[in-house]
Amino acid sequence: MNLNRLAYFAAVVDAGSFTRAAERLGITKAVVSQQVARLERDLGMTLLIRTTRRVHPTEAGRTFHARCLQVLQQAEDAFNELAQAAAEPTGTLRITAPNDYGTSAVVPVVAAFSARYPACRVELTLGDETIDLASGGMDVAIRVGWLADSSLQARRIGTFRQFMVCGAEFAGRFTAGEPQDLAGLPFVANMALREPLLWQFSRGDDEHGAAVRLQATIAIDATPAVLAAVRAGAGLSVLPDFLVRDELAAGRLIQILPDWQLPSGGIYTVYPAARFRPPKVTRFVEMLVAAEQKTGPVGEGREGAR
């Protein structure tokens, strides 16, 4: 059944004329007349009585017109509901993020998102293991560092710097002027990283820099726990700026060799391969990007979100 023909027929009955119905619909009179005639032929009955001055529905036409109005109203309601669902996040938003960035940056955005869109429930999974988005039923993953090639769709929303840091009291026990001076110092290794002990330092226009392999006195597999160990005076470690920003500002941690830089990394939103993303995903990512762009600088300044 061609539902457009129902709309054409209802317009003719309401307007009392093929000409006025065509004007209301924005199409030609010939198209309206042809489609209504096909509708009558499909139904095997006369719906309209045509005169030179006016068009009147038959008894069957009046009954059919009333039903057409119901069908057309239900169709309009269905489209309106779908449009509303597209504009307003609903359902359950499933996110995965690493422990450190998830706790410090994603959780506040999740709280704000839930307050703004109460019809949408959020499930946030924090962990340093990479979860398969499809099998895990995830809508979006937040990944920090350096992405491996995959069939997933990714967008970089920001960058972060890495700092060699230690506790304020621990900093007074040694003097380091060059990266090589760090080799014999106590080091807390972050086993969540691919290469937790080998670090490449650079400074200014120096193309080669300095590579230093440190010796782990403590090895921990969760970044927030590495921070706790460093804060407790266990030794040096390399931590991302978003995790140590407040610690450095308060003087609880000290940046070692501030004139030397460690490699910067990216902050990414990663999605399962799909043509369209639901509103719950796009709205959340918009809020996360906005929060990332507002993040203040650390030290000489953090690179802005891109």
Side-chain angles (χ1 to χ4, degrees), residues 190 193-199 213:
N190 186 351
L193 303 177
R194 293 192 185 98
E195 181 54 77
L197 297 177
L198 182 62
W199 293 97
R213 180 172 292 278

Side-chain angles (χ1 to χ4, degrees), residues 164 166 170-185 201 203 214 236 255-260:
M164 180 73 73
C166 69
F170 186 88
R173 303 178 194 172
F174 67 93
T175 300
E178 300 290 332
Q180 290 80 1
D181 298 335
L182 305 176
L185 297 176
F201 289 82
R203 181 171 62 178
L214 303 173
L236 310 173
Q255 182 182 356
I256 306 302
L257 301 178
D259 294 335
W260 292 81

Side-chain angles (χ1 to χ4, degrees), residues 91-114:
T92 300
L93 174 63
R94 295 177 175 86
I95 310 165
T96 176
N99 271 313
D100 50 0
Y101 186 77
T103 301
S104 63
V106 178
V107 168
V109 177
V110 166
F113 178 87
S114 295

Side-chain angles (χ1 to χ4, degrees), residues 161-173:
R161 296 175 62 191
Q162 299 186 103
F163 296 137
M164 180 73 73
V165 297
C166 69
E169 294 184 4
F170 186 88
R173 303 178 194 172

Side-chain angles (χ1 to χ4, degrees), residues 92-96 110 114 120-126 136-140:
T92 300
L93 174 63
R94 295 177 175 86
I95 310 165
T96 176
V110 166
S114 295
C120 189
R121 178 172 176 267
V122 180
E123 293 181 0
L124 174 60
T125 300
L126 297 180
M138 296 294 170
D139 296 301
V140 59

